[in-house]
Amino acid sequence: MDLKLKDKVVMVAAASRGLGYGVAMACAREGAKVSIASRGRAAIDEAARSIREATGAQVGAYTFDAGEADSISDWVERTRADLGPVDGLLINAGGPPSGNFVDFGDEDWQAAFELTLMSAVRMIRAVLPDMLDRGGSVLTVTSSSVKEPIDVILLSNVMRSGVTALIKSLSLEYADRNVRFNNLMPGLIDTDRVASLNQVRAEQTGTTPEQVRQRQEAALPMKRYGRPDEFGRAAAFLLSDAAGYITGVSLAVDGGKMKTVW
């Protein structure tokens, strides 16, 4: 299938590794011009080098902080200057700290709000003028927790549910302008984030991260974790014109983990 991403400008946040890297690689393989960003200069430069070598695509590497409004604006402005108007945006940010309700004060809730919900608001606000002129696609990385809350990630459960509501609302507001808004809900994908959560669970239960993973995989219908490249291909599809009549949906990439029917 031709996803019609060739020469489209796609911005991918938090793309130095993990899910963001998988999405950037998948879009680059389809011929997109990819703008990738993360906090660390060395890591994002290495990710860009790797994607260029694998795909031959044009890749811009930038540093930004998803929790800072000016940093987001600067990334978008530099992308426009280097690559052109934005056609696609993947909203992604490192998850808030793990923990339970009694572990968090007001400052923790506010930081999670800025990192997870307000980063989405600000990224969309920054790219929307381009998309209103030419159409476009916005995709967020949320979590299966927006439908089935996950233990130890309370802050993420709450804030990513807010992102999901935002995206559904905007999908209705801008459907007639050919700007599409969707969510991807990863389940257990083999990333550093999942590994760090397994470490927390291991400490709580007196086991090892390897034992936590084994138990999780045994409970999954497909009996394994997903791979970032599998997640990336699902994202590339939703970001592309091939998904031109899909908006306002939350797609689970979870190997069948969720049992809900809606």
Side-chain angles (χ1 to χ4, degrees), residues 22-250:
V23 174
M25 179 67 81
C27 291
R29 289 191 188 282
E30 294 294 328
K33 295 187 285 186
V34 181
S35 169
I36 61 175
S38 71
R39 288 183 180 179
R41 169 53 66 186
I44 201 65
D45 283 346
E46 175 57 26
R49 182 200 62 76
S50 176
I51 294 170
R52 290 188 198 105
E53 287 188 358
T55 68
Q58 186 175 354
V59 183
Y62 309 90
T63 56
F64 94 130
D65 184 337
E68 296 291 338
D70 290 344
S71 183
I72 291 170
S73 297
D74 183 60
W75 176 35
V76 174
E77 290 170 4
R78 286 185 290 159
T79 296
R80 285 195 187 105
D82 295 343
L83 302 178
V86 179
D87 299 293
L89 168 67
L90 181 88
I91 296 169
N92 185 31
S98 59
N100 298 309
F101 183 73
V102 297
D103 299 325
F104 302 121
D106 285 1
E107 66 280 5
D108 300 306
W109 285 97
Q110 187 63 41
F113 172 74
E114 293 289 336
L115 174 65
T116 306
L117 181 55
M118 285 309 299
S119 67
V121 170
R122 290 163 178 155
M123 288 186 216
I124 293 167
R125 183 188 293 142
V127 304
L128 191 58
D130 289 355
M131 295 186 179
L132 291 177
D133 287 340
R134 53 201 280 126
S137 177
V138 174
L139 183 62
T140 76
V141 177
T142 58
S143 169
S144 60
S145 69
V146 304
K147 292 193 175 184
E148 295 180 355
I150 298 172
D151 63 338
V152 311
I153 57 168
L154 174 64
L155 295 177
S156 178
N157 293 344
V158 174
M159 298 304 166
R160 295 194 193 282
S161 295
V163 173
T164 300
L166 169 69
I167 292 302
K168 184 63 175 179
S169 299
L170 294 179
S171 74
L172 300 172
E173 184 173 349
Y174 291 106
D176 64 352
R177 300 295 296 273
N178 196 33
V179 183
R180 298 179 297 105
F181 294 84
N182 294 294
N183 303 294
L184 268 184
M185 301 181 295
L188 290 168
I189 311 295
D190 194 2
T191 63
D192 290 346
R193 168 71 169 170
V194 170
S196 70
L197 293 176
N198 286 352
Q199 180 65 47
V200 172
R201 292 188 177 99
E203 292 170 359
Q204 291 176 337
T205 58
T207 58
T208 67
E210 292 75 18
Q211 290 172 317
V212 171
R213 175 167 179 160
Q214 288 170 2
R215 286 198 303 269
Q216 290 174 333
E217 289 185 319
L220 291 172
M222 296 188 74
K223 305 302 180 187
R224 66 174 178 86
Y225 279 10
R227 302 189 307 272
D229 64 289
E230 293 174 312
F231 184 87
R233 287 193 291 272
F237 170 68
L238 286 175
L239 286 165
S240 76
D241 290 346
Y245 202 56
I246 300 175
T247 193
V249 306
S250 292

